Amino acid sequence: MKQSILLEGAKFQITIKRLCQQLIENHGDFSNAVLIGIQPRGTYLAKRIQKEIFDMTGDNVQLGTLDITFYRDDFRMKGSSPLAANSTVIDFIVENRNVILIDDVLWTGRTIRSAMDAIQAFGRPGKMELLVLVDRRFSRQIPIQPDYIGIQVDSIDSQKVIVSWKEIDTDDSIVLVTETK
């Protein structure tokens, strides 16, 4: 197995700051915007984004977490392993708000499609945007594109992109894993 480090340490944090700067440039005032991290790993990025925006602007953007387990199109597929549900915490109104969906890796687009379906249970947003730390560009199964991208990775389906978070994995890094024969 071959591992290539795509991002780590200070560059990892700089990438998050750059994403926040883009959000600030596009939104200015976050009074009508909310951040929603997609469970499980998008929540770490969403919390970092919320903190960094607060540090940069003093705006305390509302933050929610969204579990998409029961909205996935493979939830009841024969032969798929059962998925463990996480919790959804959205204690604010999304109706007519600018919802910024946040996930760590965008690959096929199916997770984001499920998140867009799930968010409708909380109202009809005025606008939805997508922020991802890693965009795996050439593997889409659904035509979904992010508005904000940390890094783009051109990878094949047999490769894996692994994002590690210091909160649970001891350090911040993005690694591309390739099986070798």
Side-chain angles (χ1 to χ4, degrees), residues 51 84 96 132 135 154-155 169 172:
K51 181 186 180 314
N96 295 320
V132 297
D135 177 12
D154 298 337
S155 61
D169 301 313
D172 292 332

Side-chain angles (χ1 to χ4, degrees), residues 13 17 33 48 60 80 96 110 136-137 144 152 172:
Q13 186 57 29
K17 286 181 185 250
R48 297 258 191 110
N60 192 15
S80 66
N96 295 320
R110 291 185 179 281
R136 291 183 66 173
R137 296 189 308 173
I144 291 178
Q152 291 181 319
D172 292 332

Side-chain angles (χ1 to χ4, degrees), residues 3-181:
Q3 294 188 357
S4 303
I5 297 173
L6 302 175
L7 207 60
E8 66 180 347
K11 289 183 180 180
F12 191 99
Q13 186 57 29
I14 288 168
T15 300
I16 292 174
K17 286 181 185 250
R18 182 176 46 78
L19 287 167
C20 292
Q21 190 60 47
Q22 290 174 341
L23 285 170
I24 292 165
E25 288 171 9
N26 288 343
H27 290 269
D29 174 4
F30 286 92
S31 61
N32 195 40
V34 296
L35 305 173
I36 297 181
I38 300 172
Q39 289 277 18
R41 301 187 66 89
T43 59
Y44 299 107
L45 179 57
K47 288 174 186 174
R48 297 258 191 110
I49 295 285
Q50 182 194 39
K51 181 186 180 314
E52 197 62 46
I53 288 173
F54 180 78
D55 291 347
M56 294 169 110
T57 67
D59 287 338
N60 192 15
V61 186
Q62 290 182 298
L63 173 65
T65 59
L66 181 65
D67 176 43
I68 60 156
T69 301
F70 302 111
Y71 292 89
R72 292 177 55 97
D73 58 8
D74 61 353
F75 175 64
R76 294 183 194 262
M77 285 181 69
K78 190 176 185 177
S80 66
S81 58
L83 301 168
N86 293 293
S87 61
T88 292
V89 178
I90 298 177
D91 55 1
F92 47 80
I93 303 296
V94 300
E95 190 76 28
N96 295 320
R97 307 278 301 272
N98 294 331
V99 172
I100 304 160
L101 289 174
I102 300 174
D103 205 4
D104 60 345
V105 179
L106 171 59
W107 185 16
T108 63
R110 291 185 179 281
T111 296
I112 305 308
R113 187 212 44 86
S114 299
M116 292 188 312
D117 288 347
I119 204 69
Q120 297 300 315
F122 297 90
R124 184 174 184 256
K127 181 178 183 181
M128 271 201 258
E129 294 178 311
L130 176 59
L131 181 148
V132 297
L133 186 59
V134 181
D135 177 12
R136 291 183 66 173
R137 296 189 308 173
F138 300 127
S139 301
R140 291 294 184 281
Q141 296 173 356
I142 296 175
I144 291 178
Q145 299 301 319
D147 299 287
Y148 307 96
I149 302 166
I151 65 169
Q152 291 181 319
V153 177
D154 298 337
S155 61
I156 57 176
D157 288 342
S158 62
Q159 294 175 311
K160 292 181 182 176
V161 174
I162 300 172
V163 178
S164 298
W165 298 97
K166 67 181 175 186
E167 292 86 344
I168 58 168
D169 301 313
T170 69
D171 66 343
D172 292 332
S173 66
I174 302 171
V175 176
L176 180 65
V177 178
T178 305
E179 294 290 330
T180 56
K181 294 182 181 183

